[in-house]
Amino acid sequence: MRSSVEIFDVVTGETRVVWQTERLVEAPNFSRDGRFLVINGDGLLYRLSLDGGEPVRIDTGFATRCNNDHGLSPDGRLLAISDKTEFGRSAIYVLPAEGGTPRLVTTRLPSYWHGWSPDGRELAYCGIRDDLFDIYTISVAGGEERRLTSGEGRNDGPDWSPDGEWIYFNSSRTGRMQIWRIRPDGSEPTRITDSPYGDWFPHPSPDGRHLLVLSYDGDVFDHPRDRDVRLRLMDMDGGDARVLFALFGGQGTINVPNWAPDGRRFAFVRYAPEA
């Protein structure tokens, strides 16, 4: 077993295994009706039913080199993807959730999608410009991108709060990777975690009660795969965080928004160490 797609219930503390495979799969998103997950593997995207069975491929047209940065719009009608088929570097596209022809959103590359605004009008992403990793937003229709950070360390993994007031992200501006948040206009950057870990991929719950974070050992700077990591839960304003559980994972475990619509469950991928 190489990849195990699982769901954790924060109320009961129980974990449910949805599907296991010898393949490498990553980054589960919940559908808006809570009935299936979207995952990626081998450059393609798949719909995985919570009722069992094998994943069903989503038609992404020419985009066959998709990475683990993808997610459904708040109304469930559109799917944002990041793919490098067309340009050789990651570009952001949107397409119908049921599959279809991708539409390019921004020509500024590379760009890695990470979040939808609650009203479905904007996308948040990490863009690399002149070797600087920063947070950007852009209209889902395209146009000019808005830069929210300005090279203060490495900035990555943006995800909107459900009220649209904040964009959470991880940043190394203080040395170790920690969680921050910023207003959608780029104002009020605020540190959320001050932990001994390397904190990545903050995901606010849909009910606005919790913030889920993937935490590496403090000496790990990037977000590699196949590491001992922790999933930690805290209030949206930070403060004391509790470790839900430790697992073998990292890259691919929770890169993108992964909460169920009910705000009490989230999906993740656990990996088995190679022999």
Side-chain angles (χ1 to χ4, degrees), residues 60 62-63 78-81 86-87 91-96 100-106 116 120-121 123 138-143:
T60 54
F62 64 82
L78 296 175
L79 177 63
I81 65 172
E86 188 173 15
F87 302 104
I92 298 172
Y93 303 83
V94 294
L95 63 149
T101 302
R103 172 178 60 82
L104 183 66
V105 175
T106 176
W116 286 89
R121 296 181 179 179
L123 307 177
I138 195 170
S139 167
V140 69

Side-chain angles (χ1 to χ4, degrees), residues 10-261:
V10 300
V11 176
T12 65
E14 297 176 345
T15 300
R16 173 191 170 195
V17 175
V18 179
W19 182 63
Q20 295 180 338
T21 178
E22 301 261 340
R23 299 162 50 198
L24 174 64
V25 298
E26 301 175 302
N29 314 119
F30 258 96
S31 64
R32 296 310 177 216
D33 61 8
R35 298 178 62 184
F36 66 87
L37 302 174
V38 175
I39 57 175
N40 68 281
D42 304 318
L44 304 173
L45 295 182
Y46 298 87
R47 185 179 294 107
L48 177 63
S49 173
L50 300 189
D51 295 329
E54 290 296 306
V56 177
R57 180 180 170 185
I58 299 172
D59 175 17
T60 54
F62 64 82
T64 57
R65 299 175 68 189
C66 299
N67 58 39
N68 52 35
D69 299 321
H70 48 76
L72 293 158
S73 61
D75 62 8
R77 299 175 60 187
L78 296 175
L79 177 63
I81 65 172
S82 303
D83 179 85
K84 60 181 182 180
T85 304
E86 188 173 15
F87 302 104
R89 295 186 292 171
S90 182
I92 298 172
Y93 303 83
V94 294
L95 63 149
E98 64 272 16
T101 302
R103 172 178 60 82
L104 183 66
V105 175
T106 176
T107 58
R108 301 295 303 276
L109 308 177
S111 295
Y112 303 87
W113 179 88
H114 275 279
W116 286 89
S117 62
D119 61 10
R121 296 181 179 179
E122 294 184 87
L123 307 177
Y125 56 99
C126 171
I128 306 175
R129 312 288 182 258
D130 299 321
D131 296 323
L132 297 177
F133 290 70
D134 279 307
I135 306 303
Y136 295 83
T137 60
I138 195 170
S139 167
V140 69
E144 293 296 317
E145 63 182 14
R146 178 197 292 268
R147 186 175 186 173
L148 304 189
T149 60
S150 299
E152 309 93 337
R154 177 174 176 173
N155 304 284
D156 203 344
D159 195 0
W160 248 285
S161 64
D163 60 8
E165 293 294 315
W166 295 99
I167 294 175
Y168 288 77
F169 65 103
N170 48 270
S171 176
S172 66
R173 63 187 62 197
T174 56
R176 180 181 296 121
M177 192 66 79
Q178 298 285 278
I179 304 303
W180 290 68
R181 68 183 181 186
I182 198 168
R183 297 291 186 184
D185 65 1
S187 65
E188 298 184 52
T190 305
R191 185 171 179 172
I192 299 300
T193 63
D194 185 7
S195 79
Y197 303 116
D199 292 331
W200 283 80
F201 305 130
H203 298 309
S205 61
D207 57 13
R209 297 181 58 193
H210 303 298
L211 186 68
L212 179 67
V213 175
L214 175 76
S215 297
Y216 289 88
D217 289 342
D219 59 352
V220 179
F221 175 75
D222 210 335
H223 55 98
R225 182 177 290 111
D226 297 345
R227 294 295 182 98
D228 291 321
V229 296
R230 306 150 192 86
L231 291 181
R232 302 197 300 140
L233 198 68
M234 65 191 73
D235 291 337
M236 295 283 285
D237 293 328
D240 292 337
R242 62 186 174 107
V243 175
L244 296 175
F245 54 92
L247 72 158
F248 194 72
Q251 168 79 317
T253 292
I254 62 162
N255 289 55
V256 286
N258 62 328
W259 282 95

